[in-house]
């Protein structure tokens, strides 16, 4: 069975692919190649970069902004910009402050503005913005597939824990609402459910939000809709970090269906350095087989040049998903 045959698509429902792993293992290259290949197969595809140090635009060699834009037929891309998201919220607050003369309302708006300033600079701002994107595409089914090019492991685990965080946030919001009293009215256009005069309605909205959070949990934990592809390189640090990440993902009921071993060195017998690296990597490949017995494991050979640009990325995708050989790593081509 070819690696491509393990993709699962649901009619009229978006499929989600998270690509993650330790920093520096080639997640962006694998994500970009995957998205390009899926788009070429006729799937309307969105690739989302959740890494604060965005390299998606560098990989695809096209400008990518903070809103989804079409970069080729069937392929859309966006780089999450938490600063832009916070700036939009702050602009709404400033507009409301300019139109308000009520002291309580102004106090509430000032408090919220300060909180947003703190939030925008705090750890987790990137993950919060990324989760907003996930929530927006989760139910719209605008795309056949959404590929998340994730940040290094720690950021990604925070992102995937957000349903639990938001569940707690809803409960706290109800307490804040009761404390603010009438001042809550001034915040209703910025934070949902803050209309103190319509308690029954706002309670209903809170319940609907809770339902949406539960739906997000269900989508993330549904192996028919959401899978995680772990990218590793045949080195111990990458392997052990990925093993710990897989254990954490299991706690969130995220299905890790495959492990992609990147940068595998060929055996070039007339190159002592290459041969030594190959022998060491063979030991690490055996360790990968041992550590990830329940996942599909596939290998991507080392390229002689940097893998960037759509032509090179599609070549990587054909090797990964169609089993094609990489003629760049043949012994008579590599020269050191």
């Amino acid at each position: 069975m070819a690696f491509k045959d393990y993709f699962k698509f649901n009619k009229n429902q978006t499929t989600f692919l998270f690509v993650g792993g330790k920093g520096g293992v080639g997640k962006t290259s694998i994500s970009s190649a995957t998205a390009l290949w899926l788009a070429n197969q006729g799937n309307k595809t969105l690739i989302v970069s959740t890494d604060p140090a965005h390299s998606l635009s560098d990989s695809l060699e096209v400008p990518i902004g903070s809103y989804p834009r079409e970069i080729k037929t069937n392929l859309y891309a966006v780089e999450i910009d938490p600063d832009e998201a916070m700036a939009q919220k702050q602009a709404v607050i400033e507009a409301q402050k300019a139109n308000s003369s009520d002291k309580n309302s102004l106090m509430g708006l000032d408090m919220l503005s300060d909180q947003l300033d703190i939030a925008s600079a705090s750890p987790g701002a990137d993950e919060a913005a990324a989760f907003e994107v996930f929530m927006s595409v989760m139910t719209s089914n605008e795309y056949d597939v959404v590929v998340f090019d994730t940040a290094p492991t720690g950021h990604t685990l925070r992102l995937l824990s957000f349903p639990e965080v938001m569940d707690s946030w809803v409960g706290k919001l109800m307490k804040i609402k009761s404390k603010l009293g009438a001042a809550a009215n001034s915040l209703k256009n910025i934070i949902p459910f803050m209309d103190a005069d319509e308690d029954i309605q706002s309670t209903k909205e809170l319940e609907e939000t809770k339902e949406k959070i539960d739906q997000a949990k269900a989508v993330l934990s549904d192996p028919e809709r959401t899978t995680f592809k772990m990218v590793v390189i045949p080195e111990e640090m990458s392997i052990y970090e990925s093993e710990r990440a897989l254990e954490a993902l299991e706690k969130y009921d995220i299905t890790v269906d495959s492990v992609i071993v990147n940068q595998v060195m060929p055996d070039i017998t007339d190159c002592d350095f290459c041969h030594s690296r190959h022998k060491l990597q063979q030991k690490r490949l055996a360790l990968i087989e041992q550590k990830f017995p329940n996942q599909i494991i596939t290998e991507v050979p080392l390229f002689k040049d940097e893998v960037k640009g759509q032509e090179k990325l599609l070549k990587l995708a054909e090797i990964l998903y169609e089993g094609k050989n990489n003629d760049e790593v043949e012994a008579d081509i590599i020269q050191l």
Side-chain angles (χ1 to χ4, degrees):
M1 182 180 278
F3 194 52
K4 66 179 181 180
D5 296 327
Y6 292 99
F7 279 109
K8 296 177 181 178
F9 297 102
N10 300 279
K11 189 176 181 181
N12 301 322
Q13 283 189 317
T14 300
T15 296
F16 298 95
L17 303 177
F18 288 85
V19 179
K22 189 179 184 296
V25 297
K27 297 185 298 295
T28 298
S29 296
I30 298 294
S31 302
S32 301
T34 299
L36 279 164
W37 185 82
L38 287 167
N40 277 7
Q41 304 303 306
N43 301 291
K44 187 177 180 182
T45 305
L46 172 67
I47 181 167
V48 181
S49 171
T50 70
D51 191 341
H54 294 303
S55 55
L56 186 60
S57 54
D58 297 327
S59 180
L60 290 166
E61 294 185 333
V62 293
I64 296 171
S66 55
Y67 298 94
R69 58 160 297 205
E70 188 172 15
I71 60 174
K72 72 182 295 289
T73 304
N74 284 329
L75 181 59
Y76 298 76
V78 59
E79 290 181 328
I80 300 298
D81 187 345
D83 293 334
E84 177 71 20
M86 290 297 179
Q88 290 177 1
K89 290 182 172 66
Q90 289 284 18
V92 174
I93 292 172
E94 293 303 319
Q96 285 214 328
K97 285 168 69 175
N99 294 324
S100 177
S101 58
D102 180 76
K103 288 184 179 180
N104 287 332
S105 296
L106 287 170
M107 182 182 68
L109 288 166
D110 284 337
M111 181 184 71
L112 182 59
S113 180
D114 291 342
Q115 291 300 314
L116 285 176
D117 281 336
I118 293 169
S120 65
S122 66
D126 299 288
E127 292 84 1
F131 190 72
E132 281 191 25
V133 171
F134 175 74
M135 293 281 280
S136 68
V137 296
M138 182 187 69
T139 54
S140 68
N141 295 315
E142 180 181 354
Y143 302 96
D144 296 316
V145 57
V146 177
V147 179
F148 285 90
D149 171 33
T150 69
T153 309
H155 288 266
T156 302
L157 293 176
R158 285 200 298 269
L159 165 63
L160 295 174
S161 70
F162 251 77
E164 301 295 336
V165 173
M166 287 191 69
D167 221 352
S168 172
W169 178 78
V170 169
K172 290 179 180 177
L173 186 59
M174 296 180 77
K175 293 179 181 178
I176 292 171
K177 179 185 165 187
S178 64
K179 287 182 179 180
L180 284 175
N185 286 328
S186 63
L187 309 181
K188 64 185 178 183
N189 291 329
I190 303 159
I191 300 182
F193 346 113
M194 280 305 218
D195 192 340
D197 295 333
E198 298 180 15
D199 191 64
I200 295 175
Q201 178 63 28
S202 57
T203 299
K204 181 182 177 183
E205 289 174 356
L206 277 171
E207 290 172 351
E208 289 173 354
T209 298
K210 176 70 165 63
E211 187 177 328
K212 194 166 185 179
I213 294 168
D214 289 341
Q215 189 178 357
K217 288 182 185 177
V219 171
L220 283 170
S221 62
D222 183 356
E224 297 295 319
R225 293 198 62 189
T226 302
T227 54
F228 193 102
K229 298 187 182 302
M230 188 74 72
V231 183
V232 303
I233 55 176
E235 295 181 2
E236 282 191 339
M237 286 181 65
S238 173
I239 295 167
Y240 288 127
E241 181 171 318
S242 296
E243 181 186 27
R244 290 191 295 270
L246 191 143
E247 291 171 355
L249 289 165
E250 285 179 350
K251 293 177 182 177
Y252 299 128
D253 294 324
I254 308 292
T255 299
V256 181
D257 67 344
S258 53
V259 173
I260 299 170
V261 189
N262 199 17
Q263 302 174 18
V264 177
M265 190 80 180
D267 187 12
I268 302 173
T269 54
D270 59 352
C271 167
D272 290 341
F273 171 80
C274 305
H275 185 61
S276 296
R277 290 292 298 171
H278 171 77
K279 285 178 64 178
L280 177 61
Q281 285 195 354
Q282 291 306 302
K283 294 178 182 177
R284 301 297 177 255
L285 288 168
L287 180 62
I288 289 170
E289 293 281 353
Q290 176 190 332
K291 293 291 185 182
F292 306 104
N294 299 319
Q295 280 70 43
I296 306 154
I297 299 173
T298 191
E299 298 176 14
V300 176
L302 182 70
F303 280 67
K304 71 170 184 177
D305 296 319
E306 189 176 4
V307 180
K308 60 180 299 191
Q310 296 184 28
E311 185 179 344
K312 270 286 183 72
L313 289 166
L314 277 171
K315 187 171 186 178
L316 188 158
E318 289 169 353
I319 293 167
L320 179 58
Y321 296 112
E322 298 179 15
K324 292 190 177 181
N325 293 323
N326 183 7
D327 55 11
E328 288 193 5
V329 296
E330 292 179 359
D332 60 345
I333 292 180
I334 289 189
Q335 295 179 352
L336 298 178

